[in-house]
Amino acid sequence: MWLRALAALVLISSVTAAGQAPRPLPPPRPGTPTTPSTPPAKPANPAGNIPTEATLGVPIYPNSQFLVSYDAGQRQRFYLFGSQASFTELVAYYRTVLKERGDLLFEQPPTHTFEIGRFREETMAFPPSVTIKDYKFGGSEGYLNPKPGATPPRFPTIIQFVPPPPGATK
């Protein structure tokens, strides 16, 4: 359960951070290296390798738009999609196609997750899952589309896919 909550927090923080400018690094102190020891995680090029249902291992809700992907570690990636469908519609859809109820992780803002594979700590950073988050909660206008001038300008709901790493058995 704690791993699902962690994956949901990554969705919340990565999607929130995607709409913000990166913070500048502080000036180096005398006698310290000027390059960071570990570079920050960078999103994949949204125009590049758009994941398919075969890549993700589960159906993608119709008319959802691929936004970005992030390295999750241990050969796994987070894939974020924006959808015009409501949180309730998406949860109902994935309950039907996955034949599972899933778990409501947070009531405010509503965040629901479905496990799509067995978590193996030795080979995975996060449990394979589909996580849905409501971005219209509390009067928000929705998640800003990261593609300037794109339609729609905002998404009421974000879907995060975390497939198993390549070669892992389900």
Side-chain angles (χ1 to χ4, degrees), residues 131-161:
T131 303
I132 302 163
K133 182 178 177 200
D134 182 355
Y135 270 83
K136 293 287 274 190
F137 180 79
S140 172
E141 295 179 24
Y143 177 73
L144 187 63
N145 192 332
K147 300 169 188 167
T151 302
R154 293 183 177 268
F155 295 100
T157 316
I158 296 293
I159 310 164
Q160 172 185 279
F161 297 93

Side-chain angles (χ1 to χ4, degrees), residues 2-161:
W2 68 271
L3 283 170
R4 286 183 272 162
L6 178 61
L9 288 174
V10 169
L11 168 67
I12 293 165
S13 63
S14 65
V15 173
T16 301
Q20 299 174 353
R23 288 185 184 176
L25 293 174
R29 294 182 185 159
T32 59
T34 57
T35 57
S37 60
T38 57
K42 293 183 181 178
N45 179 359
N49 305 326
I50 296 176
T52 64
E53 292 182 356
T55 304
L56 301 174
V58 295
I60 300 169
Y61 187 81
N63 299 318
S64 295
Q65 291 183 29
F66 173 65
L67 301 177
V68 68
S69 72
Y70 291 92
D71 184 347
Q74 293 192 344
R75 300 182 316 130
Q76 282 185 291
R77 295 197 71 79
F78 295 107
Y79 296 95
L80 302 180
F81 284 75
S83 178
Q84 288 292 91
S86 72
F87 173 81
T88 306
E89 289 173 301
L90 286 170
V91 170
Y93 173 81
Y94 281 102
R95 278 183 174 162
T96 301
V97 299
L98 298 174
K99 296 177 176 65
E100 150 179 356
R101 290 191 47 80
D103 294 302
L104 182 65
L105 293 179
F106 304 107
E107 290 183 17
Q108 297 181 358
T111 307
H112 200 97
T113 192
F114 298 90
E115 290 186 9
I116 58 171
R118 184 172 174 210
F119 177 66
R120 297 184 188 282
E121 188 174 352
E122 59 279 352
T123 60
M124 298 177 185
F126 292 92
S129 60
V130 176
T131 303
I132 302 163
K133 182 178 177 200
D134 182 355
Y135 270 83
K136 293 287 274 190
F137 180 79
S140 172
E141 295 179 24
Y143 177 73
L144 187 63
N145 192 332
K147 300 169 188 167
T151 302
R154 293 183 177 268
F155 295 100
T157 316
I158 296 293
I159 310 164
Q160 172 185 279
F161 297 93

